[in-house]
Amino acid sequence: MLYYDQRLLIAAIIAWLALFSYSSTAQAQTSLQSSDCPAATGVFGRPLDYTDSTSRESRSEYGPGKTYLSIVENVHFTGEIETLLKGNTSTDPLGDILYTLNAFPNHHRALWAASRLQFKQGKPLKPTAECLLERAIRFKPLDAVVHTIYGAHLHKSGKINEAIQQYQIAEKINPNWSELQYNMGLLYLEIKQYAQAKQHAQRAYQLGYPLPGLRNKLKQVGQWP
C-alpha cells in the first residue's frame, strides 16, 4: 500500500520529467565503491525505515507526542528545504537533506530532493545523488518507490537502459502500481518503443490511472487503441 504522499510524489516526478530534456551534466555514476558511498549511520541510534509504520510513528524521548519522523521533518525537511530554496540548520538545503537521509535512508521525498538539487547545481553532490539512492536500495531493496525515483533520476540523466532496469525492478516489487505503469509507458513512448508504451499504458488505465496524457500521446502517433 502506498502512502498518499507517495502518490503525489510520483505524480510530481512525472510532471518534472516532462519539463526537461536529458541532462549532459550531473551524469549518473553507477557501481559506486562502498568507500565512496558509506552506509547511513542513523541519528536516533540506527537508521530508520521510512516505509515502516513502526519506524515512522515511533515516539521519541524529545517531547510528548513527538515522533522521530516529525522531529526530522519539522526541522530538517521543511517546505523551503524540499523546494530547494534554502537550508534550515545548514547554509543550503543539502546539509538538511543529508541529515534527513541519515535518519531515514529511504525517505522518498528527500531522495527526490537530492536528485533535483544535483541537477539544479549542474554537478554531483557530495555524496552524490546516485550514492544516496544506491544506499537507500541497499538499506531497503524491496522499496519500489526508491527504485522508481532512481529510475527517474537515470531517465533525466539520459541513461535510458539503466532507468528501465530500475523501473522493471520496481514493477516486480509492485506490479499493480498504476503511477509506475504510466511512467514506464511515457519512457517507452519517448524512445519510440510503441508496443511497450502501449502495453504499460493499457495496464496503467486498467489499474485506474486517471490522467489521459499518455493515451493522448499514443493517439497522436497512431498507437491507440
Side-chain angles (χ1 to χ4, degrees), residues 40-188:
T41 58
V43 173
F44 306 107
R46 60 183 175 85
L48 298 173
D49 181 0
Y50 183 68
T51 64
D52 178 66
S53 59
T54 300
S55 295
R56 290 172 63 95
E57 298 167 9
S58 294
R59 302 291 178 178
S60 78
E61 64 274 24
Y62 298 103
K66 291 185 177 180
T67 66
Y68 292 125
L69 182 61
S70 68
I71 290 172
V72 169
E73 291 188 336
N74 289 339
V75 178
H76 298 281
F77 203 65
T78 64
E80 290 181 322
I81 295 165
E82 185 169 10
T83 54
L84 310 181
L85 293 178
K86 65 177 184 178
N88 187 27
T89 67
S90 56
T91 55
D92 60 41
L94 180 59
D96 285 298
I97 291 171
L98 293 178
Y99 185 99
T100 302
L101 291 173
N102 194 27
F104 290 87
N106 60 330
H107 191 293
H108 302 147
R109 288 161 39 226
L111 288 168
W112 183 46
S115 172
R116 287 165 29 242
L117 181 61
Q118 181 159 300
F119 285 113
K120 180 180 179 180
Q121 292 186 354
K123 61 181 180 180
L125 305 178
K126 190 175 181 180
T128 66
E130 296 79 35
C131 162
L132 297 170
L133 285 156
E134 292 186 11
R135 186 178 75 177
I137 290 171
R138 292 198 302 267
F139 177 74
K140 190 67 182 292
L142 297 182
D143 188 337
V145 179
V146 173
H147 287 286
T148 300
I149 295 169
Y150 199 6
H153 181 84
L154 292 164
H155 182 178
K156 174 67 169 65
S157 299
K159 295 184 174 291
I160 298 302
N161 290 336
E162 294 177 41
I164 290 172
Q165 289 175 0
Q166 290 299 321
Y167 286 150
Q168 288 175 337
I169 293 171
E171 184 183 26
K172 288 180 180 179
I173 297 169
N174 190 354
N176 297 321
W177 184 8
S178 64
E179 287 86 353
L180 173 61
Q181 295 292 335
Y182 187 90
N183 211 32
M184 293 178 75
L186 286 174
L187 185 149
Y188 281 116

Side-chain angles (χ1 to χ4, degrees), residues 14-42:
I14 291 170
W16 180 68
L17 286 170
L19 291 175
F20 297 96
S21 59
Y22 299 148
S23 174
S24 60
T25 58
Q27 291 293 312
Q29 302 170 15
T30 55
S31 302
L32 297 172
Q33 299 297 316
S34 58
S35 59
D36 298 324
C37 190
T41 58

